[in-house]
Amino acid sequence: MRFERPSILQCVTIVGCLAACGAKTPLRVGDSGAEDDRPSMRDVVTDPLAREVCNNGVDDNGDGAIDEGCPVCIRAGASPWQVHRGGPPLCFGRRFFFNGDREMYAFEGIPAEDAPGWSAVPALSIDFAERSTLCDRPCTCLDGGDFTHFQTVFSIPDGFRVQSFAVSIRSVDDGAKVTIFNAANPMGVVDPGAFAFIPGGTTARLERYLTVGTNRVVVTHLDSCCSERALLGVRVLLNGGQLEQCR
Ligand SMILES: [Ca+2]
Ligand SMILES: [Ca+2]
């Protein structure tokens, strides 16, 4: 996939940039949406002195391009991944036929990116293994589950060529699912191939879901049977290389 946008060097003037960008409409402060071709002092124009801040998914300098010229990397300032343990384990009120069943995820609730409860995972790869919380409960296997969420956030700059994007999972106990959130998918999108089941893993090819600007990847871990739980060897690969954290 390629996000076709002119580079900043191609955009010598705002007029040239807007023409090259096709039908893109310049932002106006307080725009009512009414037709009005008269020039206005309220029009927002490119400020050649403004600085484009990288990896924030925002067009800081108002040139119509997001994060142009920036490297693609996991958002700085936090950890490469964060984990959210959600609530206590659930009883489903029914019994499923195999562990990690896709339909079990109807019971999960993915926390918002900035919800309370996220904590740092200071590594580029997720390696999570603990004793199951389902043991010694009324629903210990196939009739109950415990969801744990992991998230990572990065920005795709205007003009950056995405050739491949994959979330690779080496193995799970009992299941995992990958959800992508971005401007095109504010409620999240899940590819049919973005599930893993005990004892295996998956490599989910997800390039068609990425958009220019902020992309948030959430890996949901599902434990659906006592007595162990694990999510191992999870890596995010962009154009064949592991995505690293911004410096
Ligand atoms: Ca910009
Ligand atoms: Ca920016």
Side-chain angles (χ1 to χ4, degrees):
M1 175 192 321
R2 182 170 186 176
F3 302 110
E4 295 287 357
R5 296 283 171 82
S7 71
I8 196 165
L9 293 176
Q10 292 170 295
C11 301
V12 178
T13 67
I14 183 61
V15 174
C17 184
L18 291 175
C21 290
K24 191 155 187 169
T25 305
L27 294 173
R28 296 182 180 201
V29 176
D31 196 336
S32 66
E35 288 291 326
D36 185 352
D37 291 330
R38 291 172 298 174
S40 166
M41 291 301 290
R42 295 186 305 163
D43 286 0
V44 176
V45 297
T46 298
D47 177 358
L49 299 179
R51 191 170 68 90
E52 184 68 27
V53 178
C54 283
N55 309 115
N56 64 354
V58 173
D59 175 18
D60 305 281
N61 60 2
D63 68 348
I66 294 170
D67 293 350
E68 69 276 10
C70 296
V72 186
C73 46
I74 297 168
R75 183 171 286 178
S79 48
W81 290 93
Q82 294 94 46
V83 59
H84 196 297
R85 291 175 175 271
L90 307 170
C91 288
F92 294 146
R94 59 163 287 196
R95 188 173 182 83
F96 290 86
F97 295 106
F98 64 93
N99 282 304
D101 191 317
R102 287 178 173 85
E103 292 185 28
M104 291 178 178
Y105 294 93
F107 292 87
E108 77 160 328
I110 298 178
E113 181 184 343
D114 57 355
W118 290 103
S119 59
V121 178
L124 290 175
S125 173
I126 300 170
D127 287 292
F128 171 74
E130 294 184 355
R131 180 169 169 78
S132 173
T133 56
L134 298 172
C135 306
D136 305 321
R137 287 186 167 259
C139 36
T140 59
C141 196
L142 293 171
D143 55 355
D146 193 359
F147 297 98
T148 306
H149 299 94
F150 296 82
Q151 70 173 4
T152 191
V153 180
F154 57 93
S155 175
I156 298 290
D158 262 290
F160 182 84
R161 181 191 286 266
V162 176
Q163 295 169 311
S164 66
F165 178 73
V167 177
S168 172
I169 301 172
R170 189 171 72 239
S171 65
V172 292
D173 172 352
D174 293 280
K177 161 180 158 277
V178 183
T179 309
I180 292 180
F181 296 86
N182 53 32
N185 302 285
M187 304 303 291
V189 61
V190 181
D191 185 84
F195 291 84
F197 307 91
I198 187 172
T202 190
T203 297
R205 292 288 302 262
L206 304 173
E207 52 269 2
R208 63 185 170 281
Y209 301 108
L210 295 190
T211 61
V212 168
T214 299
N215 292 268
R216 174 190 178 218
V217 173
V218 175
V219 180
T220 301
H221 171 257
L222 165 60
D223 178 32
S224 59
C225 196
C226 175
S227 61
E228 304 296 331
R229 57 176 173 160
L231 174 64
L232 299 174
V234 180
R235 300 189 305 145
V236 175
L237 304 165
L238 180 68
N239 292 351
Q242 184 164 3
L243 205 53
E244 306 224 342
Q245 191 163 23
C246 306
R247 298 183 186 186

